[in-house]
Amino acid sequence: TTLIDTLLMVILSATVLATMNVMGVTLIAATLVVPAVVARMLTDSFAKMLVIATVLGAISGFVGMNLSYHHDLPSGSTIVLVGTSFFIVAFLGGGQLRRRAGTVAHAH
C-alpha cells in the first residue's frame, strides 16, 4: 500500500503543478474534489467511485474548456461550474436513487 499511496501523491502533485497556470489554487481543489464527491453520492463501491470520478472529471474538463473557448470565459471557473452542475444533478437525483436502492434491499 505504501507504493500505491506514494504513486497517488506523485500523480496528485503533478496534476496540481500542471494545472497551476490554467487555474488558481482554489479552483484546482474544487476540480479535484467535486468529481469524487459526486461519485461518492452515486455509489458505495470504491471501484465504481474511481471510474465515475475519472469520467466526470474528464467530461467536466472537456465541456468546461469548450464552453470557455466558445464563450470567451475563464477556463478554470467554467470547468468548476460544469462540475458543480453535475453535483447539483447528483444531489437532486441521488437521494431518489439511494432511496430506491434501500427500498429494493429491504424488500429482499
Side-chain angles (χ1 to χ4, degrees), residues 27-103:
L27 293 177
I28 291 171
T31 303
L32 293 172
V33 170
V34 169
V37 170
V38 173
R40 177 67 180 101
M41 291 170 69
L42 297 177
T43 184
D44 291 328
S45 166
F46 185 71
K48 289 179 184 176
M49 240 183 283
L50 289 175
V51 173
I52 293 170
T54 302
V55 170
L56 287 176
I59 291 170
S60 295
F62 181 78
V63 172
M65 287 300 287
N66 278 304
L67 286 172
S68 164
Y69 176 77
H70 291 293
H71 296 287
D72 196 28
L73 299 168
S75 58
S77 306
T78 308
I79 292 168
V80 171
L81 286 173
V82 171
T84 302
S85 67
F86 286 138
F87 175 82
I88 291 169
V89 169
F91 183 76
L92 295 176
Q96 292 176 353
L97 291 173
R98 285 187 183 263
R99 277 194 292 274
R100 283 188 196 137
T103 304

